[in-house]
Amino acid sequence: MKVLKTQKDLQNQVYLLKAQNQSIGFVPTMGALHEGHLSLIRTARQQCDSTISSIFVNPTQFNDPKDLANYPRNEALDLDKLREANCDFVFIPDITEVYSPNEYWHFDIGKLEQIFEGTSRPGHYQGVTQIVKKFFDWITPNIAFFGQKDYQQFLIIRQLVSHFGLPVQLFCHPTIRESNGLAMSSRNARLNEHERQIAQTLSRTLFDIKAHFADKSIKDLLSEARSKLTNTPELELSYLSICDAETLEETNEKTPAKIIALVAARIGEIRLIDNIILKS
Ligand code: PAF
């Protein structure tokens, strides 16, 4: 696996791949890699001739400086994992390679920025779209791979791609879970054993909603699930909603073609999100 540190090296490499007519699969990450990321790499390898991943803890998408400072980082271990997954190239830029001082970015995300993670983490999706647009411009991947766990992020990146007419196909990979159901996340590394037990309530609640989706109303599903979550000690529920999966508008009807349940909660210092497709 070749490690690329500068934008110039990255773009030279991309130029060579394109000259050889190789399709490029891109897996952007912020490191602290887990099985979820590695399954994206493996899928990219199956679908494209070469795979480029990136490791960059993007400061512009953190609205809380403490969260940025505490974000888990382990570059040496990440590189081993990427090598083992047969990733071809990894881009690990320094911040000065990515941003010029006082750089300005605003992308009109509209409604999708005014709900759920958009309101809980003001500015987060501005930072995400800012970095993803740069990486897409530099790499011009044929397919970019994202995890379903960050479903709202996926929809916003889809909007970014459509707005700028970027020639990239997006792939939303199903969430990879630990054996206890907990959605894999880099933030799980910061949970202690007790918090990990509490965190499982999130996926259990989503699985329950899915199991009863056919026989209960959305109103009943939500009120039962919300009361279970709000009665879980040490779990601070941020939201639990059932939405049209194309727009993330909340729905009380089962008529939308694709329906998703989304949840977010804080357990101790750690904020976790998860979701499940109820109808597709
Ligand atoms: O999902 C993530 O890890 C990040 O938001 C991404 C897409 C790598 C952008 O920094």
Side-chain angles (χ1 to χ4, degrees), residues 8 31 33 41 46 73 106 121 124 150 204 229 235 245:
K8 192 159 171 269
L33 301 182
I41 301 278
Q46 281 162 12
R73 293 165 169 88
H106 179 78
R121 304 172 69 189
H124 170 65
D150 297 300
R204 266 198 232 122
L229 290 170
L235 183 149

Side-chain angles (χ1 to χ4, degrees), residues 4-268:
L4 307 164
K5 295 242 174 200
T6 65
Q7 197 192 129
K8 192 159 171 269
D9 286 350
L10 174 71
Q11 285 181 301
N12 284 342
Q13 189 59 64
V14 166
Y15 179 82
L16 286 177
L17 293 173
K18 300 261 164 181
Q20 294 160 7
N21 249 332
Q22 295 220 14
S23 60
I24 299 176
F26 175 46
V27 181
T29 84
M30 297 204 299
L33 301 182
H34 50 68
E35 193 45 40
H37 297 113
L38 301 179
S39 58
L40 295 182
I41 301 278
R42 286 193 282 269
T43 308
R45 281 188 54 77
Q46 281 162 12
Q47 298 197 10
C48 299
D49 301 320
S50 340
T51 299
I52 302 181
S53 187
S54 60
I55 298 177
F56 180 63
V57 182
N58 174 35
T60 67
Q61 71 187 73
F62 286 80
N63 57 310
D64 175 0
K66 237 171 70 188
D67 193 25
L68 173 61
N70 289 331
Y71 199 82
R73 293 165 169 88
N74 194 335
E75 192 176 302
L77 195 61
D78 285 345
L79 290 178
D80 285 348
K81 288 179 181 173
L82 287 176
R83 276 191 200 100
E84 222 168 281
N86 290 318
C87 183
D88 300 299
F89 305 96
V90 61
F91 180 47
I92 312 187
D94 190 72
I95 184 156
T96 52
E97 278 298 318
V98 177
Y99 292 117
S100 41
N102 305 319
E103 198 175 303
Y104 177 77
W105 167 263
H106 179 78
F107 175 58
D108 187 1
I109 298 170
K111 275 193 187 153
L112 278 177
E113 198 180 17
Q114 289 146 26
I115 50 175
F116 306 127
E117 294 310 289
T119 38
S120 302
R121 304 172 69 189
H124 170 65
Y125 289 124
Q126 288 302 326
V128 170
T129 51
Q130 183 179 25
I131 191 67
V132 169
K133 172 73 164 60
K134 277 178 192 270
F135 285 171
F136 281 1
D137 286 345
W138 297 342
I139 297 172
T140 58
N142 297 73
I143 314 180
F145 298 81
F146 296 88
Q148 186 194 309
K149 185 182 73 67
D150 297 300
Y151 189 76
Q152 189 174 358
Q153 166 174 280
F154 181 79
L155 290 186
I156 288 172
I157 291 170
R158 194 174 72 174
Q159 191 174 317
L160 177 84
V161 165
S162 149
H163 177 87
F164 288 102
L166 303 177
V168 55
Q169 197 185 315
L170 298 177
F171 187 100
C172 186
H173 193 289
T175 302
I176 304 294
R177 298 181 179 279
E178 297 184 4
S179 55
N180 57 24
L182 181 63
M184 288 207 182
S185 161
S186 303
R187 291 170 199 276
N188 294 355
R190 295 181 55 213
L191 296 168
N192 63 34
E193 205 37 56
H194 176 61
E195 291 168 333
R196 191 170 279 273
Q197 300 284 333
I198 301 169
Q200 290 167 35
T201 322
L202 296 181
S203 54
R204 266 198 232 122
T205 306
L206 292 176
F207 296 149
D208 270 3
I209 293 178
K210 181 149 179 137
H212 293 286
F213 186 67
D215 51 88
K216 289 189 182 173
S217 69
I218 289 186
K219 194 165 159 271
D220 288 347
L221 288 168
L222 284 175
S223 74
E224 286 167 27
R226 281 181 184 141
S227 80
K228 194 188 293 174
L229 290 170
T230 48
N231 286 321
T232 302
E234 297 169 68
L235 183 149
E236 190 190 313
L237 181 62
S238 173
Y239 57 79
L240 170 71
S241 290
I242 295 182
C243 303
D244 180 325
E246 293 300 333
T247 59
L248 294 194
E249 273 169 30
E250 292 184 274
T251 179
N252 283 319
E253 308 297 330
K254 295 183 184 172
T255 43
K258 192 173 176 191
I259 299 180
I260 189 168
L262 302 157
V263 69
R266 187 172 281 281
I267 295 154

